Amino acid sequence: MTEDAAGATAPALEMRGITKRYPGVVANDHIDLDVCRGEIHALLGENGAGKTTLMNVLYGLARPDEGRILLDGRQIQIAGPSDAIARGISMVHQHFMLIPVLSVAENVILGAETMSNAVFVDRHEASKRIASLAARFGFDLDPDAKVGSLSVGQQQRVEILKALYRDARILVLDEPTAVLTPNETEEIFALLRRLAADGRSIVFISHKLYEVLAVADRITVIRRGRVIGERKPGETTEEELAELMVGREVELTVDRGESHIGEPVLRVEGLRVADDRHHEVVPGATFEIRAGEILGVAGVAGNGQDELVQALIGLRRCIGGKVTLMGRDVTGLSPRRLNEAGVGYVPGDRHRFGLILAFPVYDNLILTSYYRPPFAHGPIRNDSAILESAAAQIERFDIRTPSARVLTSTLSGGNQQKVVVAREFDREVKLLILDQPTRGLDVGSIEFIHRQIIAKRDAGTAVLLVSAELDEVMEMSDRIVVMYRGRMVAERDGRTADKSEVGLLMATGGQEGAATQKEAWA
Amino acid sequence: MNGIPQALDALPILGMLFQLVGYVLSNLGYMSQTTVAVAVPITLAALCGVMCERSGVVNIGIEGTMLAAAFIGWIVGVAASALFGVGTPLPLFGVTLPLLLGLAAAILVGMVVSLLHAWLAISMKVDQIISGTIINIGAAGITGYLYTLVASQAPTGAGSFAQYKVPGQVADLPLVGWLINAVLSQGPIGLSTIVIVIMLQIMLFRSRWGLRTRAAGEHPRAAETVGIDVIRLRYRNVVMSGALAALGGAWLSMEQTNGFNADMTAGRGFIGLAAMIVGRWTPLGAFGAALLFASATGLSTSLQISPPAGDLGQLMGHVPGEFWEALPYIITIVVLAGVIGRSIAPAADGKPYERESAT
Amino acid sequence: MSGPDTIQPPLARARKAIVRAIVASAQPIAEPLVAIFLALVVGAVGITVFSGLLAGHSNFDIGLPAAAYLALLGGVASPNGITSTLNYSTPLILAGLGVGLGFKAGLFNIGGRGQFLFGTVGAMAVATTVGASQSSYITVPLALLAGAAFGAAAGFIPGFLKATSGAHEVVTTIMLNYVFVFVTYWAISGPLSLPNAHQPITADVTARNAALPIIFGDVQHPAYAGILLALAAVPIIWVLLYRTTLGFEIRSAGANPDAARYGGMKTNRLIVLTMSIAGLMSGLAGATTLMGVVQQIAPGYDTTVGFDAITVALLGRSNPVGILFSGLLLGAMRAGSQTMQVQAGVPAELVDALQAIILVFLVVNALRRWLDRRAAKRGSTPSVDAGAAQAAEGVA
């Protein structure tokens, strides 16, 4: 390790033998990590490998059971975020730690306020300092803008600005690209290189192989809480890293087989949907899906996908347009009517729409069918039928639970999602609407759910797959449409589409987007 | 009100409206004074709510906090009078030692009761509405119990604070004199309330405390990651806010009246919460809403003390007195239901903050 | 689940599992009992200190709490006390079931006081208008029905306001409490007042053939039939909650309104319906109280049932069976408190104070915290999934 850093000074940061145990798991098992000045060090690992725990230890959000942290060769104690910040360690969290209703300046200075006296904040001085920092690193940010009105990419810059405002020497970025378009990703990489050139040390956490190879000076791979290996980008390949990360040779793509595409199932024409604040965020979506086809909707989060999906499952009113299912007009039907018409839905935010965590598993399995025979005789529940059906589904969908009576909140995320999948897949569905169905799941569960989706497709179901995760859309779809500002701006064949082109379309809306917009204005 | 207005008064229905407007205008001075006075405890309750909820803690125990403070303020005044004698009141506000001791005790108790709510809500992570309800039930029960114990001895109280007398030259100023007179003819707690509203408004939006409070109420984890101790901040806010609710309680037993009776808060803590919502969680807005709710009381008190003459008076005669007494509550409901969709609570309001496994 | 815990002989594991199961099943009962016990201890300290300080006793009487509690117990354990307990428990169980149902739907009904009073007015209205001319076989059911209907109407208002405008039921129900207090005053001084009386007061229900039958006890100490109604309501509400699809909808809307909406449930309708049922139960509580122990509405008539019902529902963990027992318990405390006041000179309001203290100990889970700390000391993980079970129970 040390010879890699030869020529440079001692590591800016060293973590030695960090161990952190939680009841039943060892999240970090004697992890060593060091970062030099001016270095971008990638921490690569799967979800749940212990990356975030390690960084929480560094940032004082979790106290390690064993191990030491050294800064410039001197051992330090970090009891909380304020300790970390005081020592020049800053963190850009995966879920931004920004307050939407506050301004950029307020967000940046929070906790390190520039004061005009003991009580009041000096807002002019703060704005001046922010503006000069922004200029120095080439940010274009208005200090008085409300953070909630900024794009995701801009918000990330605010996060980085927060770190720079505190003059962070060590900057940790936790999955910074998860929400960015490929373009924005390129920009953030350029920025990271500039920061490194400025003498700062960067820890870059990711599970995306190509990103790590593109930006890092050094890569440490961890798996199940242990350091598995360390590589330099020039001396390794995606395949090797993937094997280190997952522990076995993995197929990087799903075997999706042949599609047999049939008659149109869903036809959406000029659908218009508004958000909660009555802004028309879907100003006219038009597309169709055929039986046995997976239509992927690619788009950066917040381009109207949520509202579109909610309208299609009946949770949000349509203000215009027409939705036809199997030739029947289903525009504006309630969730129940759509469900009965053969629409299934798997949300990524399963804790909100998909499940009632405080209920036992069997109650969640009948959430949409509790009122129908055999689960109800008139107004009375039929618990024996409910339990019987639950037992069968638990078996068929490999839901790991001690029994159907166990509270759903006690299951792992992957098994919770399998409960949703069992409920929505295990019946005659004509159309499946999948909204980031594998978000935050472990690899095993992702594989399982992807296989179920393919099986449904092969059985002739039309599938709408909405995901901000471009990889998932690329791997699964027969056809891909790009959603930009509520419109379908482009369509590509799923097997031949070029990922970087789709990424560009997601970011800009592309030529076709401009054309449709012009059309709309004419 | 002469000439043309009188002709208008003769019109059917619309005439009634003109008579009402005329009545309100002619009794404006009295009504304004009452309105500001009635608004005082509501405002203090609302400010207590603002301080708590801006930091992310819902406090529906304000009612009980006020009640406890009202009782303790009174009983300590009683005890102090017995120990030290009442003494001669100072010319300003009629201040006496027992009254001051009572006020201090009321504030202390308000903070202690709020500390209990803070402990239940923040540390024990009890549902905050339930925690507040416990405080309300407990305050009503314990004050009722203690009051019954004491009442048999028919104790003499420490009296009450006096109103500020606005100098004649100011009160007689043309156009604004009556308004100044109405607003300033308050006791020490009433006048402090106006100062506190302005101070809190500035502090909330200009000071470091205000920025951190708003951050903790919107996104506590974000605040924690920049080194702010959210738990401590919430504790501090809730406990300090107890002093405000206590002032509202003390106003009832030591400024408006000179005694205590069971349930004397009569829902003012809850009206304060409604004022906070209608005022969009800002001190100034809450004060405005409190004035609006209080004006219903101002109007009904005025109508009962000096009923209007003429057709209007006859019409009013048919309205049962209970209607006027219920009116402030009805108006609170109507305004709350009408305004609520446009008033957005702090995002983390009422959600207990769980530190990330910092063991 | 995994980890060093699993490496132990199967027999020991089985034994441990059995102990856990026993603890887990005993906990829902043990927790309230522990809370009550601790509250009585705190209450004893309070009685000693405050009676010494405030009631003019020259010194602190250590024996006073014991005397007070014994008097309270003696008040309950007499023939008179038993009928009195049943009468006090009747409205507590009825209204408590309503509040508990609200909790299950995620609604916090603090409007019991107003709904109770409006129910009283409804029952009295029937007694006043039809009572004189009809037999009690007609008047009594009709008056109960009217009480239920008026209570339901009083509960409908905050439910409707929440469903349509989002106005929080806690604030609206409290405001409505005061409105209904004045409505009651108005009713007894106007439409329901007894002609030629010296003060605004209503007729006596017995005189109007609207008194509830007495099921046992003598005329001095009767137990009214209202308790039968309360006992019947327990299984009805239980079946509604756990055996009907409507109950599933109510519980779903309370536990996760978004998921309930996705499941095809009309959450706004459920809010209105649940609040109306809760109001109905409180209205029924008001009617049975009027037609039983109270007999007529006098000036200043008011009730603590609205708030007591919250204690009952919390103490009973929102479970109908739990509410039955906590309602009986609180009714007994109310019944005994009068004897306590007379015999020991401790104000009956002590019961109100005790309620809050019980609730504090209950919500902070004194028992479970202690068990967990012991478990932590022994190095095993906090085992009993009572935490999860309680979350499922959904106190609010």
Side-chain angles (χ1 to χ4, degrees), chain A residues 260-266 288-292 326 460 462:
Chain A
H260 303 281
I261 294 174
E263 292 300 302
V265 171
L266 177 77
E288 74 169 29
I289 314 175
R290 290 163 175 272
M326 308 292 289

Side-chain angles (χ1 to χ4, degrees), chain A residues 282-338:
Chain A
V282 180
T286 300
F287 58 92
E288 74 169 29
I289 314 175
R290 290 163 175 272
E293 180 187 42
I294 298 178
L295 176 68
V297 176
V300 178
N303 271 285
Q305 299 99 316
D306 289 353
E307 287 80 7
L308 174 71
V309 166
Q310 285 168 11
L312 289 177
I313 58 171
L315 280 177
R316 190 174 283 279
R317 230 160 37 87
C318 314
I319 52 177
K322 192 173 171 192
V323 183
T324 324
L325 186 73
M326 308 292 289
R328 180 185 150 209
D329 186 354
V330 296
T331 319
L333 289 191
S334 68
R336 174 160 304 168
R337 296 282 160 267
L338 285 167

Side-chain angles (χ1 to χ4, degrees), chain C residues 101 105 107 152 155-156 159-160 163 240 246-247 249-250 266-280:
Chain C
L101 189 73
L107 295 166
F156 172 85
F160 179 78
L240 169 71
L246 178 64
E249 292 181 343
I250 288 175
K266 299 195 166 60
T267 47
N268 279 340
R269 224 193 57 191
L270 288 168
I271 288 171
V272 179
L273 187 72
T274 310
M275 283 303 285
S276 301
I277 299 177
L280 183 149

Side-chain angles (χ1 to χ4, degrees), chain C residues 68-146:
Chain C
Y69 290 154
L70 280 175
L72 193 141
L73 210 62
V76 177
S78 64
N80 178 8
I82 289 167
T83 56
S84 181
T85 296
L86 293 179
N87 291 336
Y88 272 113
S89 302
T90 302
L92 294 179
I93 295 167
L94 287 169
L97 287 170
V99 173
L101 189 73
F103 280 150
K104 287 289 184 192
L107 295 166
F108 199 84
N109 177 23
I110 319 191
R113 182 179 166 197
Q115 293 148 11
F116 179 102
L117 289 175
F118 202 44
T120 311
V121 169
M124 197 67 231
V126 167
T128 309
T129 50
V130 302
S133 58
Q134 302 289 341
S135 85
S136 59
Y137 290 105
I138 295 182
T139 313
V140 168
L142 218 55
L144 286 173
L145 225 67

Side-chain angles (χ1 to χ4, degrees), chain B residues 23-38:
Chain B
Y23 173 78
V24 168
L25 284 176
S26 57
N27 287 280
L28 207 54
Y30 172 76
M31 263 187 240
S32 310
Q33 197 277 329
T34 316
T35 299
V36 175
V38 170

